[in-house]
Amino acid sequence: MLLTLGEISAMFFHSAVMFLWIQSASGWMHPKCQIHDNNEDFGHFPTWICTYLPRHAEHYTAACEDVTAIEEDLLGLPPNINTLCMSMKQGENRSMSLGFFSQFQDLEYLYIEGCFSQILPTGESHLPNLHYLHLEGKISGCCDCHIVPHTFRDLVKLSHLTMWGYRLSAMAPDVFHGMTQLQSLNIREPCVDDLSEILCRIMKIKSLMKLNIEAPEIQSLNQLNCVFLNTNESVTTVFNNLAFSDLSFGEITHIEEGALAWLQNLTRLTGAFSQEVLLHLPLSGIQQIQYFSCSGSNEIDFESICNVVFLLSIKEIYLYNANTNGLKDNGHEICSFQKQPITSLTKLTLVLNNIQMLFAKQFICLVNLQYLDLLHMLFAKQFSCLFKLQCLNLTQNLISNIDDFAFLGLTNLESLDIAKNKITQINANTFFGLHSLTWLDLRNNPLIHNIEAMSFTHLTSLRQVFLGQVHNPLTEPVIKLNLTLIFGGILNQLTHLYISSAMRPMQLIIGSNITSKQNLSLQLKGQTVSFEDCDRPFFQSVTHLNADAEEFLCGSEFMGKYFTSVETFDYRSKLSAKSVDLTSINQLIHLRKLTLRQVDLLIQRSADIIFHNLTKLEVLELYHCRIYSLEGSLTKDFNSLKRMYLHFENIYNVFYSFTEPLSSLKYLTFHNLQMFCSCDNAWLITWAKGYRQVEVLMLSPYADPSIYALEDLICLSDNGIDTPNFVKYTEANCTTEVGFVLFAATGLGVLFFMLVVLVHNLAGPYLLPLYHITLGWLSEAMRSNTRGRYHYDGFVSYSGMDERWVVEELLPNLEQRGPPFLRLCLHSRDFQLGKDIVENITDSLYRSRHTLCLVSRHYLRSNWCSLEMKLATSRLQVEQRDILLLVFLEKIPPRRLSAHHRLARLVKTRTYLDWPQDPNQHQAFWDRLWAKLKPPTEAREQRFM
Ligand SMILES: *[C@@H]1O[C@H](CO)[C@@H](O)[C@H](O)[C@H]1NC(C)=O
Ligand SMILES: *[C@@H]1O[C@H](CO)[C@@H](O)[C@H](O)[C@H]1NC(C)=O
Ligand SMILES: *[C@@H]1O[C@H](CO)[C@@H](O)[C@H](O)[C@H]1NC(C)=O
Ligand SMILES: *[C@@H]1O[C@H](CO)[C@@H](O)[C@H](O)[C@H]1NC(C)=O
Ligand SMILES: *[C@@H]1O[C@H](CO)[C@@H](O)[C@H](O)[C@H]1NC(C)=O
């Protein structure tokens, strides 16, 4: 191959770029760690807590896995990481020194998962900035790790320490001594059954503000006793400085008097208690508990609970009872108001198995209750005494009927959740009296009767309402709902409206010129959803739209365009749905996020302009859609697009130019990418790896998608059966240039350069034609014996972007017209597999009587096409015969054409055909083309043009 001066300089440029990239890459690629620049959005950065920890912009975060030898495995990490998350390879039981991390002087957050035989202090080298340390040894059950005295003393800024799964009794008694800044200590699963083991070790941490202990092994609460530590000091008052304390135990079987006297004011207490033990709780010395979670399987009566609530001023209580009899009410009212006014309680959550045990009258005394979550409970008709109630959650009960005025008196109720019941009917007075209600959830109720007129008009504070499934009336084919009729004037203050008719067709009527004062979020679901009065101003207030319906219509048109202010639009259709022209999406110029699900873009007549004008769009998600190919004319206005998620059901072509307009793109996700093996797509690999601004993620096709590497991508070969590895395919078929450039650059670059400059100066302009003519003569000589016996009537040279035209127009009009029937050679169909692509082109070219070049902008851009063109013109020069036919698929401005000398010259000297815009002229066009390509009647060659 011969190189021009330009190609040589391009070659040097390429090799310089490669070199730079490898340099910077050495800082990034690490065998065990992933490193992330904190300046950037974390996106898909893996693993746990690292992603959530606060981070400083100028630093790095590193996550390392399967670490065996810390010092060696962390080599090569940037020194300025401030967050390090590390998990040790399982079964490695080594000694660890905090000094291992001293190379990271900026380290603030250190998270280590793994069990060590011992942990040693930092020694000389301090970690001056570390303030968060998380040690998690639980992966191997209980971690028996020896931690020497004063281990954490030198970590002068340490304020948060978590030890999870480390056996506390294996540590030195004075392990925590000397810490001066520790504010928060979190001890989980310390494998001890005596609370003293924990408390005696930590009672010298004077700075402690927050204490979490989760010790499921502790069953007996005994008085604090530090004798085993050989200390005479009485338990100090350090624990009374605690602003937050959270103790969680297993099943408590015994509480000693004064056992919790060291702690006056407990934030949270969690455990399983029997009734007898529960009654001992106030004797433990504790004064107050804010939140009490009590579970258990023994029977407990409400009176005991009320006593404890009263004595310990409990504010919130969560009761869970696994026993079928569970909480017993003894026929009394819960916490009789007369006996003991319980004013502390603000939240009661009951999770009961015995659904029959509570009746409305029992709530009469609970006037201070602000939240009431009752699961699995029959509907109560009477709430009138609960005038302070703000929240009522009655989901997943069996409520089938709500009497009129059922909620009367609940004047403070703000949120009413009656989803997932069996309600069939809503009347004008069903919700009467709920003046403060802002949230009403009626989802998943079979509303088979008409919603009565004015049913919601009196809910003057209502903002968010969820209705479904509206089935009324069952006999009518289409469900009709007049929104003004049922909501009246409150329609203008809604911020969220959800209406579902589930699987039935629904027709909505706005019914008035009412406009919303809010940015409305509208969510609609039905088999089909249509509107009767589409030009109502109401639609202009919708900023968030979610439509889940095969068809979303105004008359027979797509309804989308009436939502002129919409910023996020999520539309789910069905691939089998009747085709409706979606082009008007390109009028929704305020869109920031667009999600299309199961939309068939293949059958859209103007699929390429659907996404035009969407210059504000930041997120585009296409799930289970179908598309012909991705190309630049589709994405041309996506200059704000940051995130693109592509999940197509069909096999499609991806083209380079589609990413060109995407100047803001950060994340590109391909879910189940199925594409043809084509060198047109080879750029994807180099682009994804080289273009660091964009994070490209490949997801496998399964329901629970898993990430796979670009290197594992497969493609579908032209025979439709083989699925070779795409990287290997491109290496074998498409990398001639790059491979050669690298080879030349490293080895013979300089020599070549000098030689070519010399030769170029002497004989520059004649070299290339000479080369092609020689090549042509050579091939001609080799082929002369087969001359005249052509395998094809025409070799079609075209860009893959024009494949659709070839398949839909060219093939039917040339191959199926006759007799004689023409045989065309297409690279996508007729190339021999496994053969070198250049050889394939040359072969096909010479086995065809004519070469038909389909000229378009894409054609001019494609490298393979220009090669085909070169080969064809060299053949033209050699054979001196009319073998080349040019068809212009679109008008190419002369300015553009002049850049392609060879073609420009041909156009000047030869006639060519233009694909007519006017469909009436198509027939004439095909007649002419067919006549030119048709084989000569006798052995004599016919002359065309
Ligand atoms: C107990 O702690 C809570 C939360 O810190 C605080 O609001 C309350 O006043 C404290 N009670 C006593 C008696 O110290
Ligand atoms: C009501 O309770 C259910 C079940 O616990 C829960 O999913 C739902 O979010 C709750 N509703 C509200 C409004 O909090
Ligand atoms: C919808 O209800 C409003 C208010 O009652 C009424 O004015 C309007 O005529 C109704 N529209 C239809 C089509 O029934
Ligand atoms: C509602 O608005 C439309 C056009 O915006 C207008 O033709 C119609 O007269 C209005 N109707 C009422 C009742 O104001
Ligand atoms: C959107 O783009 C299309 C095609 O590019 C154009 O015909 C149409 O007028 C544009 N619409 C708006 C509202 O800008």
Side-chain angles (χ1 to χ4, degrees):
M1 189 190 275
L2 250 146
L3 298 168
T4 65
L5 198 58
E7 281 169 307
I8 292 285
S9 55
M11 176 175 97
F12 273 100
F13 177 72
H14 266 122
S15 54
V17 170
M18 286 303 289
F19 177 70
L20 286 177
W21 184 76
I22 291 163
Q23 271 293 309
S24 68
S26 70
W28 288 96
M29 300 216 224
H30 194 282
K32 298 208 168 167
C33 305
Q34 276 182 281
I35 305 142
H36 205 287
D37 188 340
N38 288 355
N39 267 318
E40 287 167 24
D41 191 336
F42 267 34
H44 305 291
F45 191 65
T47 54
W48 7 293
I49 197 137
C50 262
T51 325
Y52 303 106
L53 292 173
R55 47 188 189 252
H56 297 303
E58 65 277 21
H59 287 89
Y60 288 93
T61 292
C64 306
E65 277 172 329
D66 276 342
V67 175
T68 43
I70 298 174
E71 278 176 303
E72 289 161 30
D73 288 348
L74 301 191
L75 271 181
L77 290 183
N80 56 337
I81 54 180
N82 84 318
T83 303
L84 175 61
C85 283
M86 188 179 85
S87 73
M88 304 296 295
K89 196 179 173 85
Q90 276 214 28
E92 299 284 323
N93 202 8
R94 294 169 184 243
S95 163
M96 196 250 308
S97 160
L98 291 170
F100 288 171
F101 304 99
S102 55
Q103 47 174 316
F104 309 115
Q105 287 290 301
D106 298 332
L107 199 63
E108 287 181 52
Y109 301 93
L110 180 57
Y111 182 107
I112 304 175
E113 202 182 281
C115 179
F116 302 93
S117 58
Q118 66 171 350
I119 295 180
L120 300 168
T122 53
E124 296 294 283
S125 45
H126 300 227
L127 287 170
N129 288 305
L130 194 73
H131 70 243
Y132 177 105
L133 178 60
H134 182 116
L135 296 169
E136 191 166 324
K138 71 179 166 69
I139 36 175
S140 44
C142 234
C143 180
D144 284 303
C145 171
H146 183 63
I147 305 186
V148 301
H150 311 290
T151 293
F152 306 103
R153 188 178 55 191
D154 297 330
L155 304 173
V156 289
K157 282 212 180 144
L158 193 69
S159 59
H160 289 70
L161 176 63
T162 296
M163 304 206 88
W164 191 348
Y166 279 86
R167 189 189 303 281
L168 231 62
S169 46
M171 300 175 192
D174 41 2
V175 60
F176 297 118
H177 285 197
M179 301 176 83
T180 54
Q181 300 299 318
L182 195 72
Q183 292 180 6
S184 167
L185 179 63
N186 188 0
I187 294 183
R188 300 179 70 176
E189 300 178 36
C191 315
V192 295
D193 53 16
D194 184 355
L195 196 55
S196 297
E197 289 271 7
I198 306 170
L199 296 175
C200 297
R201 281 188 172 77
I202 63 175
M203 67 188 187
K204 288 228 170 146
I205 312 175
K206 300 225 159 49
S207 51
L208 205 61
M209 311 273 289
K210 191 170 171 211
L211 177 64
N212 283 60
I213 295 177
E214 187 187 316
E217 297 88 351
I218 294 179
Q219 298 200 331
S220 170
L221 296 179
N222 300 320
Q223 284 193 11
L224 192 56
N225 177 2
C226 296
V227 171
F228 74 102
L229 295 178
N230 298 324
T231 160
N232 302 328
E233 286 182 59
S234 67
V235 177
T236 64
T237 52
V238 57
F239 297 117
N240 280 330
N241 298 336
L242 291 177
F244 179 93
S245 48
D246 180 353
L247 303 182
S248 173
F249 304 117
E251 180 165 359
I252 298 294
T253 52
H254 177 72
I255 300 180
E256 209 172 85
E257 214 167 297
L260 297 175
W262 51 275
L263 190 60
Q264 301 290 308
N265 188 359
L266 185 61
T267 315
R268 260 168 184 276
L269 178 64
T270 306
F273 297 84
S274 64
Q275 170 148 325
E276 187 192 344
V277 177
L278 189 66
L279 290 173
H280 274 85
L281 191 58
L283 305 177
S284 68
I286 211 162
Q287 300 294 313
Q288 196 176 352
I289 301 176
Q290 323 258 330
Y291 175 93
F292 180 42
S293 167
C294 172
S295 57
S297 49
N298 297 320
E299 277 186 22
I300 295 183
D301 63 40
F302 263 110
E303 208 169 338
S304 313
I305 293 170
C306 291
N307 269 324
V308 174
V309 168
F310 176 69
L311 289 170
L312 298 178
S313 312
I314 292 171
K315 289 206 168 62
E316 291 184 16
I317 186 165
Y318 174 93
L319 297 174
Y320 171 80
N321 202 294
N323 192 317
T324 35
N325 286 322
L327 300 158
K328 275 198 315 197
D329 80 35
N330 291 342
H332 297 297
E333 294 171 340
I334 310 177
C335 310
S336 159
F337 188 50
Q338 289 78 12
K339 272 200 262 169
Q340 302 163 333
I342 292 185
T343 53
S344 64
L345 201 64
T346 58
K347 178 167 177 173
L348 169 68
T349 303
L350 299 170
V351 182
L352 308 169
N353 281 332
N354 185 353
I355 56 170
Q356 306 232 334
M357 59 146 285
L358 292 170
F359 295 94
K361 67 178 173 80
Q362 294 172 312
F363 295 107
I364 289 167
C365 59
L366 295 173
V367 288
N368 270 25
L369 212 61
Q370 282 171 6
Y371 295 86
L372 177 67
D373 301 328
L374 295 169
L375 308 185
H376 311 293
M377 203 201 85
L378 287 176
F379 178 67
K381 287 182 190 168
Q382 246 286 27
F383 296 97
S384 58
C385 55
L386 303 176
F387 59 86
K388 285 208 173 177
L389 206 65
Q390 292 173 2
C391 227
L392 184 58
N393 193 339
L394 299 168
T395 50
Q396 283 189 332
N397 291 302
L398 298 164
I399 305 164
S400 58
N401 182 46
I402 306 178
D403 285 350
D404 282 355
F405 306 106
F407 300 102
L408 197 71
L410 290 174
T411 47
N412 287 306
L413 198 70
E414 289 168 10
S415 137
L416 176 58
D417 191 344
I418 14 180
K420 299 186 184 164
N421 281 289
K422 307 273 180 239
I423 302 164
T424 56
Q425 188 162 9
I426 291 171
N427 300 329
N429 290 321
T430 304
F431 299 112
F432 195 88
L434 296 173
H435 305 306
S436 307
L437 201 69
T438 60
W439 162 294
L440 175 60
D441 195 341
L442 284 162
R443 265 175 289 199
N444 287 305
N445 281 293
L447 301 170
I448 51 174
H449 301 288
N450 267 317
I451 298 179
E452 248 180 40
M454 323 274 278
S455 284
F456 303 101
T457 39
H458 45 265
L459 300 176
T460 49
S461 305
L462 199 62
R463 293 288 179 274
Q464 309 193 45
V465 51
F466 304 82
L467 284 182
Q469 283 89 40
V470 186
H471 284 322
N472 59 305
L474 275 173
T475 47
E476 301 265 318
V478 176
I479 292 159
K480 279 198 185 188
L481 218 55
N482 182 337
L483 297 188
T484 299
L485 195 66
I486 60 172
F487 286 104
I490 71 153
L491 200 54
N492 72 2
Q493 64 187 31
L494 294 183
T495 60
H496 199 116
L497 174 59
Y498 168 100
I499 304 176
S500 164
S501 65
M503 295 318 294
R504 300 197 55 206
M506 171 163 76
Q507 184 172 40
L508 294 179
I509 300 154
I510 304 302
S512 68
N513 277 355
I514 198 162
T515 55
S516 174
K517 287 183 283 190
Q518 312 288 343
N519 289 337
L520 180 65
S521 175
L522 183 63
Q523 211 180 343
L524 303 167
K525 181 172 160 57
Q527 195 236 333
T528 62
V529 173
S530 57
F531 291 86
E532 195 176 279
D533 43 359
C534 323
D535 46 1
R536 296 286 190 188
F538 177 79
F539 296 109
Q540 289 157 20
S541 30
V542 177
T543 49
H544 303 286
L545 176 63
N546 185 313
D548 181 350
E550 252 174 68
E551 292 167 21
F552 186 51
L553 297 176
C554 169
S556 59
E557 261 183 288
F558 183 58
M559 180 63 199
K561 73 168 176 196
Y562 294 96
F563 295 90
T564 48
S565 312
V566 73
E567 290 172 18
T568 64
F569 182 21
D570 187 324
Y571 176 47
R572 177 196 294 275
S573 178
K574 260 197 182 148
L575 288 175
S576 57
K578 212 168 76 202
S579 171
V580 174
D581 189 0
L582 300 180
T583 313
S584 58
I585 288 182
N586 71 21
Q587 295 174 15
L588 306 178
I589 53 170
H590 299 291
L591 271 182
R592 284 186 293 107
K593 180 172 180 193
L594 175 63
T595 308
L596 299 180
R597 301 166 201 268
Q598 299 188 37
V599 171
D600 193 347
L601 296 168
L602 272 180
I603 55 173
Q604 286 294 317
R605 247 194 281 134
S606 25
D608 49 339
I609 61 165
I610 283 185
F611 301 121
H612 283 191
N613 316 329
L614 304 184
T615 51
K616 290 186 185 165
L617 198 71
E618 290 173 17
V619 181
L620 175 69
E621 297 171 329
L622 303 175
Y623 294 95
H624 299 283
C625 291
R626 274 204 285 244
I627 197 165
Y628 179 67
S629 78
L630 282 168
E631 49 178 303
S633 62
L634 196 92
T635 56
K636 80 173 177 57
D637 291 331
F638 284 170
N639 33 26
S640 305
L641 200 72
K642 291 200 176 72
R643 197 178 276 273
M644 196 172 190
Y645 187 103
L646 302 172
H647 182 178
F648 296 110
E649 290 290 298
N650 61 323
I651 307 167
Y652 63 106
N653 284 309
V654 191
F655 291 110
Y656 183 63
S657 52
F658 98 90
T659 54
E660 274 173 12
L662 307 177
S663 51
S664 310
L665 194 68
K666 292 206 115 177
Y667 302 103
L668 173 61
T669 306
F670 288 106
H671 191 160
N672 187 18
L673 172 58
Q674 309 176 76
M675 61 175 187
F676 290 109
C677 299
S678 155
C679 289
D680 282 348
N681 292 329
W683 65 273
L684 185 65
I685 306 287
T686 22
W687 178 82
K689 286 184 177 161
Y691 200 64
R692 294 248 352 263
Q693 294 95 301
V694 180
E695 199 173 318
V696 179
L697 197 72
M698 314 293 296
L699 298 181
S700 66
Y702 310 107
D704 179 16
S706 60
I707 300 173
Y708 65 91
L710 206 58
E711 284 75 19
D712 297 331
L713 179 65
I714 54 169
C715 58
L716 188 73
S717 67
D718 293 329
N719 66 9
I721 301 166
D722 298 327
T723 51
N725 177 291
F726 186 59
V727 174
K728 295 218 176 88
Y729 173 87
T730 57
E731 277 167 4
N733 297 290
C734 319
T735 53
T736 40
E737 277 173 81
V738 178
F740 184 72
V741 163
L742 282 177
F743 166 71
T746 47
L748 302 167
V750 178
L751 196 62
F752 241 116
F753 184 70
M754 287 159 61
L755 200 68
V756 169
V757 169
L758 194 68
V759 175
H760 192 268
N761 277 343
L762 294 177
Y766 306 105
L767 276 176
L768 218 56
L770 197 68
Y771 160 70
H772 281 297
I773 289 170
T774 320
L775 190 76
W777 271 342
L778 276 179
S779 347
E780 206 51 22
M782 283 157 60
R783 276 164 230 274
S784 56
N785 53 344
T786 58
R787 194 172 180 178
R789 288 187 296 143
Y790 292 105
H791 201 265
Y792 300 106
D793 294 301
F795 170 70
V796 189
S797 167
Y798 64 99
S799 151
M801 306 276 270
D802 302 319
E803 176 125 23
R804 190 175 190 168
W805 187 86
V806 170
V807 173
E808 290 178 4
E809 299 279 351
L810 184 82
L811 289 188
N813 279 300
L814 292 183
E815 287 198 335
Q816 282 151 32
R817 165 200 292 253
F821 293 96
L822 298 184
R823 290 201 60 189
L824 298 179
C825 174
L826 304 187
H827 66 73
S828 62
R829 185 183 65 181
D830 303 310
F831 273 16
Q832 279 169 279
L833 286 171
K835 203 164 167 186
D836 178 71
I837 189 130
V838 180
E839 213 179 305
N840 244 328
I841 294 177
T842 330
D843 253 23
S844 313
L845 206 77
Y846 279 97
R847 292 169 74 195
S848 311
R849 181 174 299 103
H850 290 96
T851 297
L852 180 63
C853 291
L854 305 180
V855 184
S856 66
R857 275 165 233 261
H858 305 308
Y859 185 77
L860 296 181
R861 239 182 266 143
S862 155
N863 289 335
W864 291 118
C865 293
S866 74
L867 177 67
E868 285 167 3
M869 175 77 97
K870 275 182 205 161
L871 291 171
T873 47
S874 78
R875 183 179 167 205
L876 182 74
Q877 283 161 349
V878 171
E879 294 193 12
Q880 292 299 317
R881 194 171 58 88
D882 262 320
I883 48 130
L884 189 65
L885 297 176
L886 295 180
V887 170
F888 278 78
L889 295 185
E890 56 188 330
K891 281 257 173 295
I892 312 269
R895 185 179 46 79
R896 268 211 79 163
L897 210 55
S898 62
H900 303 264
H901 313 286
R902 202 181 297 269
L903 186 65
R905 210 164 50 228
L906 281 175
V907 169
K908 282 207 193 97
T909 57
R910 310 175 66 82
T911 46
Y912 53 87
L913 292 179
D914 276 320
W915 169 242
Q917 295 300 309
D918 178 4
N920 293 328
Q921 296 174 23
H922 285 178
Q923 201 50 42
F925 169 88
W926 292 121
D927 289 343
R928 274 186 81 193
L929 192 61
W930 183 81
K932 283 173 196 285
L933 286 171
K934 128 177 112 95
T937 31
E938 286 303 313
R940 281 171 53 93
E941 293 264 330
Q942 223 175 308
R943 293 226 150 223
F944 300 113
M945 294 195 205

